[in-house]
Every structure is written in structure tokens, then in C-alpha cells.
Amino acid sequence: MKKIFLTAITLSFSWLILTGCSSDKVSNETAKNREATSQPFTERNVEPSDGTYVFDKASLLSAEDLRACNDYAGWLYENKLINAAVITTNDLEGKATYDYAAEQFSEIYEGKGSGLVVLINNATNEDIVYRTGSCLVNIGQKTADNAMYWATKEIIGSDYRSGIMRLLQLGEVCPEHMIDNSQVFAYEDIQPIEKRLSALKKDVTVLSTRNGSSISNEEILKTYYKRKYKDGKGIMLMLDINTKAMIAYSDDKLPDKLKTEIKSANELAAREDYIAAVNKAIDLIE
């Protein structure tokens, strides 16, 4: 069986596949990204997941392997806030590989958030990694291609579990605290912010989004907060690029300065100085 591999990305306003060509922004970010290891994937010890993230339509995985892949995808969903999914199929339903992966992401996650979809496609033997949001900005093309190259060797040897796990592992390249679903920050912008957030005594996550739904920002923020901070011990900031404003939430007590002076961060956001706005909010927490 000859396998072809592909990695796919989506931008905020258009979808495109990178096959050697890319925008300057993506090219610059890619050059600085870490490469996925060519060594065998070492599985994380993760808790069982209640959600469904693996859709084995081609029946390639044993019950044990399916459960392991699902638990790991669930770990990425909760800890990295990545909308992860694995799909295996023998039928693309008449669609191109990329379009099928994109439609699956839309069906599972309504096309929202930072997506990482691993498609094992036995219909045309063209496997794909589809990514968007934070996964697009932080997982460079070279990194994705390298992981797919080694995963393809495992998949050809029918070691689907290792191949899928290796591709899901791409999600670990993404930051843990600076989640840019809006794709408004460049890779170079995210790294220093992530470093600041990681150094805080309190666990703090910044979520950047473009809320075009009828659901309020407060409700969306609480949903993401409960997803990541099941113990209620953390602070989450949400920057909505559409409203150009930030809000904060915690089950714990918010810092007094953050509650009373977040308007200073919002003034910067209103001027579309989003980097300064986020850094100002972090200042209020420190």
C-alpha cells in the first residue's frame, strides 16, 4: 500500500493547502518552530476521557488502541484547549481529502476554536493533518511534514496507534497559556507572552478569539475555564478581537487590580494594540 501524506491548514478568512509555498507570516513562524521528533512516540499517562474524539469509520483500531488515542486527544482538548479529532475512513463521500477533513472539523466542532484533525484516509491513501487557530500559528509546516513522514512509516506497517499518537503529539507544540484562536498574534508575539504567563505564581491562561456567535463572551469564557480548570484554581483572560475588549474570570478571587483596572488593558485593545493589552493585563495580575 502506497501512502501519500498531506498537512493542511486554514486561515481566518480562507482555506489553503501549503505544499512548499506559504505566506510570509506562516513562513517566518515556521522557521522558528520546533521539529517533531523522529523517535518513537512515548505515550503520556493521561486520565480516561469522557468525550469522543476518535471516529474510527474504517475500523482500523483495536478497542484498546482506540481508547488510548481518544484519551490522549481528550487530554489535548482539556489541557491545551485544542479541538482535536482523529478520523479514519474508507470513503471520502466524493470529496477532496482536504475538504473532507475540513467538513469533519465543522461537523464535530462547528469549525470553531483551534483545530487539529488527523485524517487516516484509506480511500485514496492520502492522509492529512488539518489545523487551524493556535495550531496553525504554532505548528509550522516543516514540523507537521516531519511528523507525518514518520507517522506514514508506522501506518504503512499497520501500527496505526503509534502513527496517530505521533500526529496528535503535534498539539504539544502549542502553548499552554496563550491560546490564540483568533490568529491575530504572530508566532514571535506569542512566545514572550507565553513565557510571562508560565512564570506567574498563579496559573493564568489568555484566550484570544473572534466571537461571532449569539453566545455572550462571559458564557464562552466560563465554558473554556471549566474545560481547563476543573479544580477552579486558575485565572482566564479572554480577548475578543471583534469587540476589542478583554474580560477576566476565576472561580477563585480575582486580583483587585485586575478587577478595577482592566479598563486600562481595554483602552489598548480598543486601539488594536493587542500585544500591549495582554501584557497590561498580565501586569495587573503580577
Side-chain angles (χ1 to χ4, degrees):
M1 175 180 66
K2 183 178 180 181
K3 274 282 184 181
I4 305 166
F5 69 79
L6 214 66
T7 50
I9 65 172
T10 180
L11 297 176
S12 299
F13 304 107
S14 63
W15 289 344
L16 44 117
I17 299 174
L18 296 187
T19 54
C21 299
S22 62
S23 69
D24 290 341
K25 178 180 176 182
V26 175
S27 295
N28 290 338
E29 290 161 357
T30 299
K32 297 188 178 183
N33 277 349
R34 292 175 291 170
E35 288 190 40
T37 176
S38 60
Q39 299 302 311
F41 173 72
T42 301
E43 295 188 13
R44 274 184 174 272
N45 184 18
V46 298
E47 295 292 325
S49 176
D50 294 330
T52 301
Y53 306 94
V54 179
F55 304 86
D56 187 19
K57 300 178 183 181
S59 300
L60 302 177
L61 297 167
S62 67
E64 181 182 348
D65 291 346
L66 190 151
R67 185 165 52 250
C69 293
N70 194 75
D71 289 345
Y72 184 48
W75 181 87
L76 291 171
Y77 178 82
E78 293 180 356
N79 289 273
K80 292 283 193 171
L81 299 181
I82 291 172
N83 290 344
V86 176
I87 300 145
T88 74
T89 187
N90 293 322
D91 182 9
L92 294 178
E93 301 171 4
K95 303 178 182 70
T97 309
Y98 175 85
D99 293 338
Y100 182 86
E103 287 188 20
Q104 291 297 303
F105 178 65
S106 293
E107 286 183 19
I108 298 167
Y109 292 111
E110 298 181 343
K112 297 176 181 177
S114 294
L116 181 66
V117 178
V118 175
L119 174 63
I120 307 301
N121 160 32
N122 283 351
T124 62
N125 289 326
E126 183 182 61
D127 299 333
I128 196 169
V129 174
Y130 173 92
R131 62 199 195 276
T132 184
S134 182
C135 294
L136 168 60
V137 176
N138 291 284
I139 304 170
Q141 192 65 28
K142 183 177 179 181
T143 300
D145 286 346
N146 188 45
M148 182 63 88
Y149 173 81
W150 292 100
T152 299
K153 290 177 176 290
E154 291 161 335
I155 291 167
I156 289 174
S158 297
D159 186 359
Y160 292 101
R161 174 170 172 168
S162 294
I164 289 169
M165 287 288 206
R166 183 188 295 279
L167 296 175
L168 285 174
Q169 187 187 22
L170 287 167
E172 298 209 32
V173 175
C174 296
E176 187 173 347
H177 302 282
M178 180 61 195
I179 316 298
D180 182 24
N181 289 352
S182 68
Q183 294 177 210
V184 76
F185 293 90
Y187 178 81
E188 294 81 2
D189 301 330
I190 292 171
Q191 298 311 303
I193 295 174
E194 175 71 12
K195 186 175 180 179
R196 286 197 71 191
L197 291 168
S198 299
L200 294 175
K201 293 180 180 178
K202 191 78 173 178
D203 195 333
V204 180
T205 299
V206 174
L207 173 68
S208 173
T209 187
R210 298 177 187 268
N211 182 15
S213 72
S214 59
I215 304 172
S216 70
N217 282 342
E218 288 77 13
E219 198 172 340
I220 290 173
L221 177 57
K222 287 182 181 180
T223 298
Y224 270 94
Y225 183 91
K226 300 294 183 184
R227 179 169 155 184
K228 182 167 185 178
Y229 297 115
K230 287 186 168 58
D231 60 1
K233 296 180 179 179
I235 296 172
M236 189 169 283
L237 301 163
M238 177 175 167
L239 169 64
D240 184 0
I241 303 304
N242 288 345
T243 61
K244 298 180 176 58
M246 295 184 71
I247 55 175
Y249 179 81
S250 177
D251 283 348
D252 254 346
K253 185 176 181 293
L254 286 171
D256 291 335
K257 286 183 70 175
L258 181 63
K259 288 192 293 184
T260 60
E261 298 180 37
I262 195 169
K263 63 182 180 181
S264 60
N266 282 331
E267 288 169 358
L268 293 165
R271 298 200 295 268
E272 299 186 4
D273 193 347
Y274 301 125
I275 298 172
V278 170
N279 278 307
K280 181 61 178 178
I282 296 172
D283 290 342
L284 298 174
I285 295 171
E286 285 181 325

